[in-house]
């Protein structure tokens, strides 16, 4: 199973008889899954089905779904509003009684009164509505498939970057492990030289106490545990990437753990070389985390 990005876009046009529509789907990064729909009036029944199909395909990301529909002019008819016409005729009758010499109103004038003529949408049969709804949802499935395909395509590109970054982290960890300055012998020699300088500077220092403190510092300077955890995290990330699926949150957690070990490595550093490796590790880990936050 491949990895998928949380960013993508899809646009699909559809038609049924003379009605045309356009689906547009966009998705961006998100901590969880959230879908926002903009649908025309009269398609409320579509919303639940669209949300269901989105949730079945996408696990994370903020998704916006828009549907624009264009209905043919033949779907509307010009009709007379009988109630409004009756009110106008009654008003004309009252005026004629009061103004008997006034001219008769023309038909155009009567029909020109607001509300007498109205555009009314023609009603479709249940069979026609069902056929159109089926086609609308079919084109939505096509748009959703395109969105998923784009997210997977970006996911494959991110996977290549992740693998390269993990290889770099492993290589830097090996460099830190092989540094001569981190061997117990090198640490003891450096501590002894420092102690000898202190003893020469003052005869009041207790040599035994100083050697005890030096042993404690030498133990704290050992980075074996940090190196082992870095190797373990490298293995964990590779296993997750191989497994695939919605692993973005776990990858982000491991990126944080990588950063924790790199910080400890720098704080325990006893050489310029180890500090340089620790700083380079932090740079690569930051790049790794940026990519993991794009993963579903």
């Amino acid at each position: 199973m491949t990895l998928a990005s949380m960013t993508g876009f899809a646009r699909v046009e559809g038609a049924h008889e003379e009605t045309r529509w356009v689906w547009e789907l966009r998705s961006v990064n998100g901590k969880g899954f959230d879908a926002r729909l903009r649908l025309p009036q009269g398609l409320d029944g579509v919303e639940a089905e669209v949300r269901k199909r989105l949730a079945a395909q996408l696990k994370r990301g903020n998704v916006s779904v828009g549907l624009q529909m264009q209905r043919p002019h033949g779907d509307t008819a010009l009709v007379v509003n009988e109630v409004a016409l009756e009110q106008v005729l009654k008003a004309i009758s009252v005026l004629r009684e009061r103004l008997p010499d006034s001219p008769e109103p023309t038909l155009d004038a009567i029909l020109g009164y607001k509300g007498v003529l109205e555009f009314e949408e023609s009603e479709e049969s249940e069979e026609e509505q069902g056929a159109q709804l089926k086609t609308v949802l079919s084109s939505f499935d096509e748009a959703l498939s395109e969105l998923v395909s784009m997210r997977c395509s970006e996911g494959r590109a991110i996977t290549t970057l992740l693998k390269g970054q993990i290889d770099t982290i492993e290589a830097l960890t090996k460099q830190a492990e092989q540094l001569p300055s981190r061997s117990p012998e090198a640490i003891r020699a450096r501590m002894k030289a420092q102690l000898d300088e202190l003893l020469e500077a003052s005869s009041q220092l207790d040599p035994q106490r100083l050697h005890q403190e030096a042993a404690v510092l030498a133990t704290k300077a050992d980075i074996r545990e940090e190196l082992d955890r870095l190797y373990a995290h490298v293995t964990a990330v590779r296993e997750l990437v191989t497994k695939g699926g919605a692993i973005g949150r776990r990858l982000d957690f491991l990126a944080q753990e990588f950063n924790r070990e790199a910080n400890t490595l720098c704080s325990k550093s006893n050489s310029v070389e180890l500090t340089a490796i620790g700083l380079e590790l932090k740079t690569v880990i930051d790049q790794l985390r940026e990519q993991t936050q794009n993963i579903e």
Side-chain angles (χ1 to χ4, degrees), residues 86-107:
E86 186 64 27
Q87 290 176 345
V88 171
L89 293 177
K90 285 182 179 180
I92 291 174
S93 179
V94 171
L95 290 173
R96 287 179 62 188
E97 291 179 0
R98 295 186 179 183
L99 304 170
D101 295 332
S102 62
E104 293 283 342
T106 64
L107 179 60

Side-chain angles (χ1 to χ4, degrees), residues 20-271:
R20 298 183 178 278
W21 58 82
V22 176
W23 283 105
E24 284 193 356
L25 281 64
R26 291 181 173 85
S27 68
V28 296
N29 296 357
K31 291 184 178 180
F33 173 73
D34 180 51
R36 298 184 180 182
L37 277 58
R38 301 188 310 278
L39 305 178
Q41 293 183 350
L43 289 177
D44 297 337
V46 174
E47 181 172 349
E49 187 62 29
V50 167
R51 290 187 180 278
K52 177 182 176 182
R53 298 185 185 194
L54 284 171
Q57 294 288 331
L58 311 176
K59 303 306 177 185
R60 290 182 70 199
N62 294 325
V63 184
S64 62
V65 178
L67 173 62
Q68 297 179 351
M69 299 193 74
Q70 293 182 345
R71 299 181 183 276
H73 296 297
D75 280 1
T76 60
L78 189 62
V79 297
V80 175
N81 186 323
E82 296 291 343
V83 175
L85 178 61
E86 186 64 27
Q87 290 176 345
V88 171
L89 293 177
K90 285 182 179 180
I92 291 174
S93 179
V94 171
L95 290 173
R96 287 179 62 188
E97 291 179 0
R98 295 186 179 183
L99 304 170
D101 295 332
S102 62
E104 293 283 342
T106 64
L107 179 60
D108 289 343
I110 294 174
L111 295 178
Y113 282 103
K114 185 178 180 180
V116 174
L117 288 180
E118 293 180 337
F119 284 99
E120 185 179 79
E121 290 190 4
S122 59
E123 295 184 359
E124 296 178 327
S125 67
E126 291 186 4
E127 183 178 349
E128 291 173 334
Q129 291 177 352
Q132 179 173 290
L133 178 61
K134 183 178 179 180
T135 310
V136 168
L137 287 174
S138 177
S139 62
F140 169 76
D141 288 338
E142 183 181 348
L144 179 56
S145 178
E146 286 189 11
L147 179 68
V148 171
S149 177
M150 178 176 283
R151 285 166 56 120
C152 288
S153 178
E154 290 192 11
R156 286 191 290 271
I158 293 175
T159 299
T160 301
L161 292 174
L162 288 177
K163 289 181 178 179
Q165 290 160 349
I166 287 298
D167 289 344
T168 302
I169 291 173
E170 183 181 44
L172 289 170
T173 304
K174 288 181 179 179
Q175 288 181 27
E177 184 178 28
Q178 294 168 1
L179 283 176
S181 61
R182 65 157 300 271
S183 67
E185 294 78 11
I187 294 173
R188 283 195 294 268
R190 187 162 48 255
M191 288 291 182
K192 183 178 183 304
Q194 293 172 350
L195 288 171
D196 290 342
E197 290 180 5
L198 288 172
L199 290 171
E200 289 178 4
S202 175
S203 60
Q204 297 179 355
L205 297 175
D206 182 1
Q208 184 176 0
R209 178 64 182 274
L210 286 174
H211 281 290
Q212 290 175 349
E213 293 294 333
V216 172
L217 291 174
T219 301
K220 290 182 178 180
D222 185 31
I223 59 171
R224 180 70 263 167
E225 290 185 6
E226 287 71 28
L227 295 175
D228 289 343
R229 283 194 287 266
L230 284 170
Y231 284 130
H233 297 335
V234 165
T235 300
V237 170
R238 284 175 173 160
E239 289 177 352
L240 284 174
V241 171
T242 301
K243 180 181 179 182
I247 61 172
R249 289 180 178 175
R250 283 176 286 179
L251 286 177
D252 187 54
F253 170 76
L254 285 170
Q256 295 179 49
E257 292 301 304
F258 271 127
N259 193 58
R260 191 192 314 276
E261 302 306 331
N263 284 333
T264 306
L265 210 65
C266 289
S267 67
K268 287 187 173 185
S269 175
N270 54 15
S271 66

